[in-house]
């Protein structure tokens, strides 16, 4: 690596250290989140102590997409903390945030997916959120299934993995919101997912089936997955 790489690394470290040590106000941290560079946004997200308004929440949430991975992960971590606070959760309950949440649950970084799913799980009692978000979640899941079912798993492995990864996290989210999703939709998603060659998708289908469903077809599917060739699928 050339000297410029190490110079940039040193500059970023120095800037991060200064940001940690400086006494910035809440408003200044939000300003960095709106218009700062990668280091400023990352450190500002980590240093933010609270959320005081819907506008504050939207500034934070907006950084979940279209930003460097270090920013997205820091934001997702704080989002999970803030949305777990009953005194702050109302600030995040605006429709403008819902599509960003949907995009964030299929981020390329699994830590971000986990953090955001955990965060939005605190909105299960918000009927408006569940109606809007779950409809889009179902639509996305069906779209991904349509694509994956046509894949030759021997070819285009990167493309296959990318779409499978997205469906994996959609199914994990459906597991959390299972009782908010229309039964016919969740049934079709499970019945289609159980036949996907990639075992991680069958594993998620089996996990969803641990929820309580009184349906003959789903009971058959559960029995089938209990006898799957893959241990991680069978264990559910």
């Amino acid at each position: 690596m050339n000297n410029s790489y190490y110079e940039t690394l040193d500059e970023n470290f120095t800037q991060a250290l200064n940001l940690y040590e400086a006494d910035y106000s809440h408003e200044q941290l939000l300003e960095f989140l709106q218009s700062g560079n990668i280091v400023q946004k990352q450190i500002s997200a980590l240093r933010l102590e609270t959320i005081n308004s819907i506008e504050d929440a939207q500034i934070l949430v907006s950084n979940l997409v279209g930003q460097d991975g270090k920013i997205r992960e820091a934001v997702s971590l704080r989002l999970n903390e803030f949305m777990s606070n009953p005194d702050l959760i109302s600030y995040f309950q605006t429709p403008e945030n819902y599509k960003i949440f949907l995009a964030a649950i299929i981020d390329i970084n699994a830590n971000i997916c986990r953090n955001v799913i955990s965060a939005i799980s605190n909105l299960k009692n918000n009927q408006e959120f569940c109606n809007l978000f779950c409809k889009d979640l179902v639509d996305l899941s069906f779209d991904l299934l349509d694509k994956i079912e046509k894949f030759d798993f021997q070819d285009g492995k990167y493309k296959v993995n990318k779409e499978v990864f997205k469906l994996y996290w959609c199914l994990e989210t459906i597991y959390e919101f299972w009782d908010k999703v229309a039964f016919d939709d969740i049934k079709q998603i499970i019945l289609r997912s159980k036949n996907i060659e990639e075992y991680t998708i069958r594993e998620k289908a089996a996990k969803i089936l641990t929820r309580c469903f009184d349906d003959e077809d789903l009971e058959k599917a559960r029995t089938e997955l209990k006898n799957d060739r893959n241990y991680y699928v069978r264990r559910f």
Side-chain angles (χ1 to χ4, degrees):
M1 296 182 182
N2 58 37
N3 290 335
S4 62
Y5 170 83
Y6 290 106
E7 288 171 1
T8 301
L9 199 62
D10 287 341
E11 289 172 4
N12 288 344
F13 178 80
T14 301
Q15 186 177 29
L17 186 62
N18 290 337
L19 280 166
Y20 263 119
E21 292 180 342
D23 187 21
Y24 289 108
S25 68
H26 180 81
E27 290 71 24
Q28 287 173 312
L29 293 175
L30 289 171
E31 180 60 33
F32 281 137
L33 277 171
Q34 286 182 291
S35 57
N37 59 31
I38 292 174
V39 175
Q40 289 170 332
K41 288 192 172 192
Q42 180 190 21
I43 303 304
S44 295
L46 294 173
R47 285 203 55 189
L48 202 63
E49 293 184 358
T50 191
I51 295 294
N52 293 327
S53 67
I54 290 173
E55 290 72 24
D56 287 2
Q58 289 178 326
I59 290 170
L60 184 68
V61 171
S62 68
N63 282 283
L64 276 174
V65 293
Q67 301 293 332
D68 181 86
K70 291 187 286 292
I71 298 171
R72 301 197 315 276
E73 184 162 2
V75 168
S76 72
L77 180 67
R78 301 315 308 285
L79 183 78
N80 191 17
E81 293 176 18
F82 292 142
M83 291 183 68
S84 298
N85 186 330
D87 295 328
L88 304 181
I89 186 68
S90 63
Y91 296 135
F92 295 90
Q93 301 183 57
T94 55
E96 291 84 357
N97 293 333
Y98 300 167
K99 290 190 182 299
I100 297 177
F101 292 152
L102 185 68
I105 67 165
I106 55 171
D107 194 281
I108 194 171
N109 182 327
N111 290 331
I112 296 171
C113 302
R114 290 189 193 93
N115 287 337
V116 175
I117 292 171
S118 177
I120 64 174
S121 293
N122 294 288
L123 294 176
K124 288 179 182 177
N125 293 327
N126 182 324
Q127 193 63 48
E128 180 193 50
F129 169 79
C130 291
N131 289 343
L132 295 174
F133 178 82
C134 289
K135 178 185 181 302
D136 288 343
L137 175 63
V138 165
D139 289 344
L140 177 59
S141 299
F142 279 133
D143 181 60
L144 290 167
L145 280 165
D146 288 342
K147 293 176 181 177
I148 293 169
E149 286 170 340
K150 296 174 184 175
F151 282 152
D152 179 349
F153 277 75
Q154 302 307 312
D155 299 323
K157 195 63 178 176
Y158 172 74
K159 183 179 180 182
V160 170
N161 284 344
K162 188 176 179 181
E163 301 306 307
V164 165
F165 186 85
K166 292 177 183 178
L167 181 59
Y168 176 96
W169 289 109
C170 283
L171 295 176
E172 180 65 19
T173 310
I174 288 173
Y175 171 78
E176 292 295 332
F177 287 87
W178 70 279
D179 56 341
K180 311 299 181 183
V181 177
F183 176 74
D184 287 343
D185 288 333
I186 202 169
K187 179 176 178 177
Q188 288 306 309
I189 288 170
I190 292 171
L191 293 180
R192 293 173 65 179
S193 295
K194 77 177 180 63
N195 295 321
I196 298 297
E197 184 173 342
E198 171 56 49
Y199 83 88
T200 58
I201 300 304
R202 302 197 308 277
E203 177 188 2
K204 288 301 175 187
K207 183 176 181 180
I208 296 171
L209 283 168
T210 61
R211 301 301 196 181
C212 296
F213 297 106
D214 184 15
D215 181 85
E216 184 177 351
D217 293 330
L218 291 183
E219 191 56 40
K220 288 179 180 177
R222 186 175 186 186
T223 300
E224 180 182 337
L225 291 171
K226 278 285 189 183
N227 293 283
D228 193 271
R229 63 185 181 276
N230 186 283
Y231 164 75
Y232 292 101
V233 179
R234 293 197 305 271
R235 67 193 173 119
F236 286 106

